[in-house]
Amino acid sequence: MGLVDLIRRLLGGGGSRRAGGADRGPGLGLMDLSRRLRLPALDLQRVGVHYDEFTIPKRCGGARKILAPAPELKALQRRILRRLLARLRVHPAAMGFERGRSIVTNARAHAGSAVVIHMDIRDFFGSTATGRVREYFTAIGWGSEAVYLLLKWTMADGHLPQGAPTSPRLSNLVNYEMDTRLAALAESIGAVYTRYADDLVFSLRTDRRLSVTSAIRGTKAILDDYGYRLHLKRKLSIRRRHQRQTVTGLVVNDGVALPRETRRRLRAVEHHLRTGRTATLTPEQLAGWRALMAMIERQRA
């Protein structure tokens, strides 16, 4: 089943304008886009496209390129996210950037497993190409003029720009089919699959070497079909029950929790602040950690 057919089925079959196929009319146009975004068509056509480029260091070394949209473009992207993309369906395995899903729900899916396998996609946003996003917009019913404008506002240099408000949700939407295939691969080997942005996790209740190999080889083959490549040397991780298993920074060997050293550090900071001594975190930073711990407590059950 191709992407157009899959989305057509998710939308419930649909009439002539919903599916976006060549045999079903030209699709939704500029006036439809104007009405849904609640902005005049002339104003939409005048929005300029400009990004400020800078880099931030990666935790594992190297630098990550960020494209920060100009204020007018960023405001439009937020409107597109809220009014066009927010209610569209993503796969249940997509845990990042989704309402009601978090690093805790992602970790919880793999708690108490015999084996946890981590794989990481290279340059995830930079490898999500314009052609795939164009196919998605067409499949959900937009005509050529509207698709041209949507791509103009949400893509940069032929890919999803990391830094645009629309990029995380679009990355989940266009990868529905990929997540479906990866979830089916997981089911075929008795595993659980989730994806948090570029971080793919498979977990097995029983430790079978053939299943581990199948998960890695199958994932690589599926990702190749969507233009993605894996970090198979530096970021492939296979952790068994006797080792510390982490998913999105949380330990999942027995339930879901912050790493022990993090909990110790936070207790020390609390003590230092109570006794008036110098602490490595400000009260505001500590409040953020407390909010995370409260979220873990609330969502891990």
Side-chain angles (χ1 to χ4, degrees):
M1 180 184 294
L3 177 61
V4 172
D5 293 329
L6 176 65
I7 294 173
R8 193 173 290 169
R9 190 176 75 175
L10 290 173
L11 293 174
S16 62
R17 295 173 71 83
R18 273 180 98 175
D23 59 333
R24 293 177 175 258
L28 300 168
L30 175 60
M31 297 313 296
D32 298 293
L33 190 59
S34 170
R35 185 175 64 256
R36 294 195 183 188
L37 291 175
R38 296 184 181 177
L39 287 173
L42 285 176
D43 289 352
L44 287 176
Q45 293 175 309
R46 291 174 182 150
V47 174
V49 176
H50 177 73
Y51 292 89
D52 291 320
E53 181 178 330
F54 60 93
T55 59
I56 58 174
K58 296 181 180 179
R59 286 187 303 171
C60 56
R64 189 185 308 279
K65 184 171 80 171
I66 303 297
L67 293 174
E72 183 185 35
L73 177 60
K74 188 173 186 177
L76 178 59
Q77 289 172 342
R78 285 176 170 162
R79 187 176 287 255
I80 291 169
L81 177 63
R82 186 175 65 253
R83 301 196 59 82
L84 301 186
L85 305 180
R87 295 186 181 182
L88 296 173
R89 186 178 175 188
V90 304
H91 195 276
M95 295 289 179
F97 325 116
E98 296 298 326
R99 185 184 298 273
R101 307 178 200 178
S102 67
I103 62 171
V104 183
T105 58
N106 187 45
R108 191 177 66 200
H110 305 283
S113 298
V115 186
V116 175
I117 308 162
H118 278 273
M119 288 173 273
D120 185 86
I121 299 175
R122 291 175 179 263
D123 190 19
F124 179 56
F125 288 110
S127 299
T128 306
T130 296
R132 295 187 59 218
V133 181
R134 178 187 293 111
E135 182 183 4
Y136 179 81
F137 282 141
T138 302
I140 62 174
W142 293 105
S144 58
E145 185 179 20
V147 168
Y148 168 80
L149 289 171
L150 288 169
L151 293 175
K152 172 185 172 183
W153 298 326
T154 61
M155 309 300 290
D157 300 327
H159 59 77
L160 286 176
Q162 186 160 359
T166 45
S167 291
R169 186 114 230 277
L170 278 172
S171 73
N172 285 342
L173 290 167
V174 302
N175 282 313
Y176 192 108
E177 184 182 82
M178 183 185 80
D179 286 330
T180 299
R181 292 177 62 186
L182 289 168
L185 168 65
E187 185 177 2
S188 72
I189 60 174
V192 174
Y193 159 74
T194 64
R195 178 177 61 81
Y196 198 102
D198 58 356
D199 183 24
L200 314 180
V201 181
F202 288 76
S203 60
L204 293 155
R205 296 300 172 186
T206 56
D207 188 352
R208 296 192 298 268
R209 186 177 298 274
L210 180 60
S211 296
V212 173
T213 302
S214 296
I216 297 168
R217 289 180 177 174
T219 297
K220 183 179 182 300
I222 291 170
L223 262 59
D224 282 347
D225 290 341
Y226 300 93
Y228 296 126
R229 291 187 301 149
L230 287 172
H231 280 285
L232 284 176
K233 291 185 178 179
R234 289 193 300 124
K235 295 190 178 180
L236 172 63
S237 169
I238 303 168
R239 293 281 174 168
R240 292 177 164 82
R241 204 184 296 276
H242 66 279
Q243 300 168 301
R244 187 168 77 172
Q245 300 168 328
T246 60
V247 176
T248 42
L250 302 175
V251 179
V252 296
N253 292 70
D254 182 19
V256 177
L258 285 170
R260 184 178 301 170
E261 60 270 22
T262 302
R263 299 198 305 270
R264 286 175 176 167
R265 176 178 172 234
L266 293 174
R267 284 196 297 268
V269 169
E270 293 263 19
H271 178 70
H272 282 198
L273 289 174
R274 277 198 310 270
T275 57
R277 297 162 62 189
T278 302
T280 56
L281 296 176
T282 66
E284 292 76 16
Q285 290 171 324
L286 183 59
W289 279 103
R290 286 173 179 157
L292 174 60
M293 290 187 288
M295 184 178 74
I296 294 170
E297 188 65 31
R298 194 169 58 247
Q299 296 183 2
R300 68 182 175 185

PDB file of all heavy atoms in Angstrom, residues 141-156:
ATOM      1  N   GLY A 141      -5.102  16.080   0.254  1.00  0.00           N
ATOM      2  CA  GLY A 141      -6.118  16.834  -0.466  1.00  0.00           C
ATOM      3  C   GLY A 141      -5.754  18.199  -0.985  1.00  0.00           C
ATOM      4  O   GLY A 141      -6.589  18.866  -1.602  1.00  0.00           O
ATOM      5  N   TRP A 142      -4.530  18.683  -0.779  1.00  0.00           N
ATOM      6  CA  TRP A 142      -4.178  20.017  -1.249  1.00  0.00           C
ATOM      7  C   TRP A 142      -3.811  19.995  -2.726  1.00  0.00           C
ATOM      8  O   TRP A 142      -3.143  19.074  -3.195  1.00  0.00           O
ATOM      9  CB  TRP A 142      -3.016  20.583  -0.434  1.00  0.00           C
ATOM     10  CG  TRP A 142      -3.392  20.854   0.987  1.00  0.00           C
ATOM     11  CD1 TRP A 142      -3.044  20.119   2.079  1.00  0.00           C
ATOM     12  CD2 TRP A 142      -4.231  21.902   1.465  1.00  0.00           C
ATOM     13  NE1 TRP A 142      -3.605  20.648   3.222  1.00  0.00           N
ATOM     14  CE2 TRP A 142      -4.350  21.747   2.874  1.00  0.00           C
ATOM     15  CE3 TRP A 142      -4.907  22.967   0.862  1.00  0.00           C
ATOM     16  CZ2 TRP A 142      -5.100  22.611   3.672  1.00  0.00           C
ATOM     17  CZ3 TRP A 142      -5.657  23.831   1.657  1.00  0.00           C
ATOM     18  CH2 TRP A 142      -5.738  23.649   3.039  1.00  0.00           C
ATOM     19  N   GLY A 143      -4.262  21.029  -3.439  1.00  0.00           N
ATOM     20  CA  GLY A 143      -3.926  21.167  -4.850  1.00  0.00           C
ATOM     21  C   GLY A 143      -2.547  21.769  -5.048  1.00  0.00           C
ATOM     22  O   GLY A 143      -1.878  22.178  -4.094  1.00  0.00           O
ATOM     23  N   SER A 144      -2.132  21.864  -6.301  1.00  0.00           N
ATOM     24  CA  SER A 144      -0.749  22.227  -6.612  1.00  0.00           C
ATOM     25  C   SER A 144      -0.363  23.615  -6.106  1.00  0.00           C
ATOM     26  O   SER A 144       0.745  23.815  -5.601  1.00  0.00           O
ATOM     27  CB  SER A 144      -0.511  22.141  -8.117  1.00  0.00           C
ATOM     28  OG  SER A 144      -1.417  22.991  -8.812  1.00  0.00           O
ATOM     29  N   GLU A 145      -1.276  24.604  -6.222  1.00  0.00           N
ATOM     30  CA  GLU A 145      -0.942  25.960  -5.766  1.00  0.00           C
ATOM     31  C   GLU A 145      -0.751  25.995  -4.254  1.00  0.00           C
ATOM     32  O   GLU A 145       0.205  26.590  -3.742  1.00  0.00           O
ATOM     33  CB  GLU A 145      -2.042  26.940  -6.173  1.00  0.00           C
ATOM     34  CG  GLU A 145      -1.721  28.393  -5.838  1.00  0.00           C
ATOM     35  CD  GLU A 145      -2.814  29.361  -6.267  1.00  0.00           C
ATOM     36  OE1 GLU A 145      -3.953  28.913  -6.476  1.00  0.00           O
ATOM     37  OE2 GLU A 145      -2.516  30.562  -6.387  1.00  0.00           O
ATOM     38  N   ALA A 146      -1.651  25.340  -3.520  1.00  0.00           N
ATOM     39  CA  ALA A 146      -1.541  25.306  -2.059  1.00  0.00           C
ATOM     40  C   ALA A 146      -0.309  24.510  -1.631  1.00  0.00           C
ATOM     41  O   ALA A 146       0.391  24.899  -0.684  1.00  0.00           O
ATOM     42  CB  ALA A 146      -2.803  24.696  -1.454  1.00  0.00           C
ATOM     43  N   VAL A 147      -0.038  23.407  -2.309  1.00  0.00           N
ATOM     44  CA  VAL A 147       1.142  22.593  -1.980  1.00  0.00           C
ATOM     45  C   VAL A 147       2.412  23.417  -2.178  1.00  0.00           C
ATOM     46  O   VAL A 147       3.332  23.380  -1.346  1.00  0.00           O
ATOM     47  CB  VAL A 147       1.183  21.312  -2.828  1.00  0.00           C
ATOM     48  CG1 VAL A 147       2.535  20.617  -2.695  1.00  0.00           C
ATOM     49  CG2 VAL A 147       0.068  20.364  -2.401  1.00  0.00           C
ATOM     50  N   TYR A 148       2.466  24.175  -3.282  1.00  0.00           N
ATOM     51  CA  TYR A 148       3.637  25.021  -3.535  1.00  0.00           C
ATOM     52  C   TYR A 148       3.885  25.976  -2.368  1.00  0.00           C
ATOM     53  O   TYR A 148       5.016  26.120  -1.887  1.00  0.00           O
ATOM     54  CB  TYR A 148       3.445  25.798  -4.832  1.00  0.00           C
ATOM     55  CG  TYR A 148       4.469  26.897  -5.031  1.00  0.00           C
ATOM     56  CD1 TYR A 148       5.744  26.603  -5.505  1.00  0.00           C
ATOM     57  CD2 TYR A 148       4.161  28.222  -4.716  1.00  0.00           C
ATOM     58  CE1 TYR A 148       6.696  27.610  -5.663  1.00  0.00           C
ATOM     59  CE2 TYR A 148       5.100  29.224  -4.872  1.00  0.00           C
ATOM     60  CZ  TYR A 148       6.367  28.917  -5.336  1.00  0.00           C
ATOM     61  OH  TYR A 148       7.300  29.907  -5.483  1.00  0.00           O
ATOM     62  N   LEU A 149       2.812  26.608  -1.884  1.00  0.00           N
ATOM     63  CA  LEU A 149       2.960  27.563  -0.792  1.00  0.00           C
ATOM     64  C   LEU A 149       3.315  26.867   0.520  1.00  0.00           C
ATOM     65  O   LEU A 149       4.176  27.334   1.275  1.00  0.00           O
ATOM     66  CB  LEU A 149       1.674  28.374  -0.628  1.00  0.00           C
ATOM     67  CG  LEU A 149       1.387  29.378  -1.737  1.00  0.00           C
ATOM     68  CD1 LEU A 149      -0.006  29.964  -1.579  1.00  0.00           C
ATOM     69  CD2 LEU A 149       2.432  30.491  -1.761  1.00  0.00           C
ATOM     70  N   LEU A 150       2.669  25.754   0.792  1.00  0.00           N
ATOM     71  CA  LEU A 150       2.967  25.026   2.035  1.00  0.00           C
ATOM     72  C   LEU A 150       4.418  24.565   2.068  1.00  0.00           C
ATOM     73  O   LEU A 150       5.087  24.644   3.110  1.00  0.00           O
ATOM     74  CB  LEU A 150       2.020  23.836   2.186  1.00  0.00           C
ATOM     75  CG  LEU A 150       0.570  24.191   2.537  1.00  0.00           C
ATOM     76  CD1 LEU A 150      -0.333  22.979   2.386  1.00  0.00           C
ATOM     77  CD2 LEU A 150       0.485  24.759   3.951  1.00  0.00           C
ATOM     78  N   LEU A 151       4.920  24.096   0.943  1.00  0.00           N
ATOM     79  CA  LEU A 151       6.327  23.682   0.881  1.00  0.00           C
ATOM     80  C   LEU A 151       7.255  24.891   1.034  1.00  0.00           C
ATOM     81  O   LEU A 151       8.295  24.809   1.696  1.00  0.00           O
ATOM     82  CB  LEU A 151       6.609  22.960  -0.437  1.00  0.00           C
ATOM     83  CG  LEU A 151       5.926  21.611  -0.631  1.00  0.00           C
ATOM     84  CD1 LEU A 151       6.211  21.077  -2.026  1.00  0.00           C
ATOM     85  CD2 LEU A 151       6.394  20.604   0.421  1.00  0.00           C
ATOM     86  N   LYS A 152       6.874  25.991   0.419  1.00  0.00           N
ATOM     87  CA  LYS A 152       7.674  27.218   0.527  1.00  0.00           C
ATOM     88  C   LYS A 152       7.821  27.639   1.979  1.00  0.00           C
ATOM     89  O   LYS A 152       8.887  28.081   2.416  1.00  0.00           O
ATOM     90  CB  LYS A 152       6.999  28.321  -0.293  1.00  0.00           C
ATOM     91  CG  LYS A 152       7.598  29.715  -0.129  1.00  0.00           C
ATOM     92  CD  LYS A 152       6.763  30.734  -0.894  1.00  0.00           C
ATOM     93  CE  LYS A 152       7.217  32.163  -0.585  1.00  0.00           C
ATOM     94  NZ  LYS A 152       6.365  33.173  -1.275  1.00  0.00           N
ATOM     95  N   TRP A 153       6.749  27.482   2.776  1.00  0.00           N
ATOM     96  CA  TRP A 153       6.750  27.959   4.160  1.00  0.00           C
ATOM     97  C   TRP A 153       7.321  26.940   5.145  1.00  0.00           C
ATOM     98  O   TRP A 153       7.686  27.331   6.255  1.00  0.00           O
ATOM     99  CB  TRP A 153       5.329  28.295   4.588  1.00  0.00           C
ATOM    100  CG  TRP A 153       4.691  29.392   3.796  1.00  0.00           C
ATOM    101  CD1 TRP A 153       5.297  30.485   3.251  1.00  0.00           C
ATOM    102  CD2 TRP A 153       3.308  29.484   3.452  1.00  0.00           C
ATOM    103  NE1 TRP A 153       4.377  31.259   2.578  1.00  0.00           N
ATOM    104  CE2 TRP A 153       3.143  30.672   2.692  1.00  0.00           C
ATOM    105  CE3 TRP A 153       2.189  28.693   3.701  1.00  0.00           C
ATOM    106  CZ2 TRP A 153       1.909  31.075   2.182  1.00  0.00           C
ATOM    107  CZ3 TRP A 153       0.956  29.099   3.204  1.00  0.00           C
ATOM    108  CH2 TRP A 153       0.821  30.270   2.456  1.00  0.00           C
ATOM    109  N   THR A 154       7.360  25.668   4.789  1.00  0.00           N
ATOM    110  CA  THR A 154       7.751  24.651   5.767  1.00  0.00           C
ATOM    111  C   THR A 154       9.049  23.928   5.434  1.00  0.00           C
ATOM    112  O   THR A 154       9.561  23.194   6.284  1.00  0.00           O
ATOM    113  CB  THR A 154       6.642  23.589   5.935  1.00  0.00           C
ATOM    114  OG1 THR A 154       6.424  22.930   4.667  1.00  0.00           O
ATOM    115  CG2 THR A 154       5.345  24.213   6.418  1.00  0.00           C
ATOM    116  N   MET A 155       9.592  24.114   4.241  1.00  0.00           N
ATOM    117  CA  MET A 155      10.819  23.434   3.838  1.00  0.00           C
ATOM    118  C   MET A 155      11.930  24.452   3.595  1.00  0.00           C
ATOM    119  O   MET A 155      11.662  25.628   3.349  1.00  0.00           O
ATOM    120  CB  MET A 155      10.592  22.603   2.564  1.00  0.00           C
ATOM    121  CG  MET A 155       9.398  21.659   2.616  1.00  0.00           C
ATOM    122  SD  MET A 155       9.492  20.415   3.933  1.00  0.00           S
ATOM    123  CE  MET A 155      10.810  19.371   3.303  1.00  0.00           C
ATOM    124  N   ALA A 156      13.166  23.985   3.648  1.00  0.00           N
ATOM    125  CA  ALA A 156      14.316  24.849   3.359  1.00  0.00           C
ATOM    126  C   ALA A 156      15.436  23.986   2.787  1.00  0.00           C
ATOM    127  O   ALA A 156      15.759  22.932   3.343  1.00  0.00           O
ATOM    128  CB  ALA A 156      14.795  25.566   4.622  1.00  0.00           C
TER     129      ALA A 156
END
